[in-house]
């Protein structure tokens, strides 16, 4: 099986949830081209991701996106040395579309494949930014399904410091947004509404703030939002637009506070001087502003991926694969067989 050599071109696929992402990354030159199709509009009518619809849409999009990305990179299939794909965690059917497409294409071309952990893609995506962080760093990984604080010593060297015991931060945004009558995905919608609100009018809990560890619990927040909403409705007959905006601002402030305080504590305890934020919630402006101000005071450098690469995309998958190949962490595989892992801990891919 072919192994690492200079200027390998990796074609990467992301299809773990509701975004079809395709990208080409060169092991030396970095990102050459990437394309994305978001299914948000399709799932909006249902208030959340419908797995079967997601799988079918990935099938429709994957080939045209591949052609588009290769065209943009000025490359043909002959130039591709290996094909990477998200093997998990995620929706089983959606993962299978990307994995079977990637393996079929690789098999037809006689080139190897590389299964990639979706969260490792998120975790390394800030390295696509300019300037890129150097190792080691503390990473705050905040996506729709995961909330973790990791100590990252290098590619493949990940130590979990803490994680959510129940809902993820993105889930807390999404569920609270739904209660406030906002459409899916709730995070950006809640953040937009919060801009018109007063975060100090309604007090919401900051769960596990004083637990002395780096774990989180966000499942109580949606109940607190619902209770506050019911109280307003009881007192006034109905909640006004301003009430909803104030509640959105209070929700965002509560989530951002807990994420920021625990990340800063992890920095202090580890003694590391770099913080990296990755995952969809990393697009949140308040979180960015808050962390930027606090880390500046501590003399710590904070890094965010470009906003367009915070949410799911193919670039992070192709890039993570390129790094794993380059540093000899993972061997390229034959496309003759593959499996996907809807549930999969990030620490399983650590060395
Ligand atoms: O990383 P991601 O694209 O998908 C997963 O791997 O889960 O994260 C999606 C999550 C959703 O919960 C979405 O509401 C949240 O990221 N999100 C945001 C913002 N943009 C996306 N949450 C808060 N503020 C945002 N601007
Ligand atoms: Zn993701």
């Amino acid at each position: 099986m072919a192994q690492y050599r200079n200027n390998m071109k990796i074609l990467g696929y992301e299809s773990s949830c509701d975004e079809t992402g395709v990208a080409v990354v060169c092991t030396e030159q970095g990102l050459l081209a990437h394309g994305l199709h978001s299914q948000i509009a399709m799932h909006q009518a249902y208030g959340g991701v419908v797995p079967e619809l997601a799988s079918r849409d990935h099938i429709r999009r994957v080939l045209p996106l591949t052609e588009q990305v290769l065209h943009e990179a000025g490359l043909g299939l002959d130039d591709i040395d290996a094909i990477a794909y998200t093997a998990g965690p995620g929706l089983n059917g959606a993962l299978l579309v990307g994995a079977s497409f990637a393996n079929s294409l690789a098999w037809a071309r006689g080139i190897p494949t590389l299964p990639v952990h979706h969260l490792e893609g998120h975790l390394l995506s800030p390295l696509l930014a300019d300037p890129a962080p150097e190792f080691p760093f503390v990473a705050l990984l905040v996506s729709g399904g995961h909330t973790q604080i990791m100590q990252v010593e290098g590619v493949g060297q990940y130590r979990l410091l803490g994680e959510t015991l129940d809902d993820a931060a993105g889930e807390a945004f999404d569920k609270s947004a739904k209660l406030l009558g906002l459409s899916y995905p709730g995070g950006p919608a809640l953040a937009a509404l919060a801009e018109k609100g007063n975060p100090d009018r309604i007090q919401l809990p900051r769960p596990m703030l004083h637990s002395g560890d780096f774990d989180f619990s966000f499942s109580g927040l949606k109940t607190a939002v619902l209770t506050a909403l019911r109280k307003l409705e009881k007192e006034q007959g109905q909640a006004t637009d301003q009430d909803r905006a104030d509640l959105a601002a209070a929700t965002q402030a509560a989530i951002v506070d807990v994420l920021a305080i625990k990340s800063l504590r992890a920095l202090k305890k580890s003694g590391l001087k770099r913080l990296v934020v990755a995952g969809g919630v990393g697009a949140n402006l308040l979180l960015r502003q808050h962390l930027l101000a606090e880390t500046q005071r501590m003399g710590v450098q904070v890094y965010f991926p470009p906003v367009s690469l915070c949410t799911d995309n193919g670039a992070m998958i192709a890039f993570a694969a390129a790094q794993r190949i380059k540093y000899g962490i993972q061997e390229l595989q034959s496309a003759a067989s593959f499996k996907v892992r809807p549930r999969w801990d990030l620490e399983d891919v650590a060395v």
Side-chain angles (χ1 to χ4, degrees):
M1 192 58 44
Q3 285 309 321
Y4 171 62
R5 57 179 192 283
N6 268 346
N7 284 314
M8 283 180 86
K9 312 252 181 343
I10 318 292
L11 178 62
Y13 289 92
E14 156 60 30
S15 71
S16 66
C17 191
D18 58 349
E19 256 105 26
T20 320
V22 182
V24 185
V25 164
C26 170
T27 47
E28 270 60 47
Q29 297 161 44
L31 182 60
L32 300 183
H34 78 113
L36 189 75
H37 176 78
S38 169
Q39 304 176 352
I40 284 176
M42 185 182 77
H43 295 295
Q44 233 153 19
Y46 306 93
V49 178
V50 184
E52 181 61 23
L53 293 182
S55 309
R56 286 165 190 251
D57 202 57
H58 286 307
I59 294 173
R60 274 194 290 274
R61 308 291 172 179
V62 69
L63 186 55
L65 266 180
T66 303
E67 287 168 343
Q68 176 194 317
V69 166
L70 286 173
H71 179 74
E72 268 172 37
L75 299 172
L77 278 173
D78 284 346
D79 301 308
I80 301 300
D81 298 294
I83 302 187
Y85 59 95
T86 303
L91 300 170
N92 195 38
L95 289 167
L96 277 169
V97 174
S100 49
F101 185 86
N103 279 278
S104 309
L105 187 56
W107 177 255
R109 307 298 306 175
I111 56 176
T113 58
L114 204 86
V116 173
H117 195 291
H118 179 80
L119 292 181
E120 186 173 34
H122 277 304
L123 192 65
L124 298 179
S125 61
L127 273 72
L128 283 162
D130 188 17
E134 283 174 26
F135 297 111
F137 53 76
V138 168
L140 172 66
L141 195 55
V142 270
S143 70
H146 295 83
T147 299
Q148 299 182 328
I149 296 184
M150 318 276 304
Q151 184 162 334
V152 180
E153 300 288 337
V155 178
Q157 294 174 45
Y158 315 128
R159 191 157 69 85
L160 184 67
L161 300 180
E163 64 182 333
T164 184
L165 305 180
D166 39 58
D167 288 357
E171 218 173 337
F173 268 107
D174 294 342
K175 288 178 177 171
S176 304
K178 208 168 186 173
L179 292 171
L180 293 171
L182 300 170
S183 64
Y184 159 85
L190 190 142
L193 182 59
E195 274 183 32
K196 299 179 205 139
N198 170 7
D200 300 320
R201 182 182 144 209
I202 300 162
Q203 285 305 311
L204 292 177
R206 267 84 173 138
M208 293 188 69
L209 199 57
H210 305 293
S211 60
D213 54 24
F214 304 114
D215 288 337
F216 304 91
S217 167
F218 288 112
S219 69
L221 198 59
K222 58 179 183 292
T223 316
V225 171
L226 185 63
T227 308
L229 204 54
R230 292 278 176 273
K231 188 164 173 268
L232 287 165
E233 285 166 355
K234 207 170 158 195
E235 286 166 2
Q236 306 167 182
Q238 63 173 18
T240 63
D241 287 349
Q242 191 56 51
D243 291 335
R244 280 202 185 78
D246 290 346
L247 205 41
T251 308
Q252 177 175 245
I255 298 171
V256 166
D257 262 3
V258 183
L259 291 175
I261 289 172
K262 296 243 169 176
S263 305
L264 299 175
R265 281 190 200 149
L267 281 164
K268 278 192 192 126
K269 184 159 185 225
S270 65
L272 296 179
K273 293 285 176 214
R274 282 179 284 264
L275 174 67
V276 162
V277 183
V281 181
N284 186 270
L285 214 58
L286 185 71
L287 180 67
R288 287 181 173 234
Q289 288 166 347
H290 201 80
L291 285 175
L292 211 54
E294 293 298 322
T295 48
Q296 240 164 26
R297 287 201 312 182
M298 284 170 72
V300 164
Q301 194 71 35
V302 64
Y303 298 82
F304 302 96
V307 171
S308 63
L309 298 183
C310 273
T311 45
D312 293 347
N313 63 84
M316 67 183 196
I317 300 304
F319 181 73
Q323 300 297 300
R324 289 182 77 84
I325 296 168
K326 195 167 168 177
Y327 293 103
I329 291 163
Q330 193 172 336
E331 294 210 342
L332 289 158
Q333 293 187 2
S334 152
S337 72
F338 66 89
K339 65 172 182 186
V340 296
R341 299 180 64 175
R343 290 180 171 276
W344 191 10
D345 284 340
L346 179 57
E347 283 187 311
D348 287 352
V349 300
V351 286

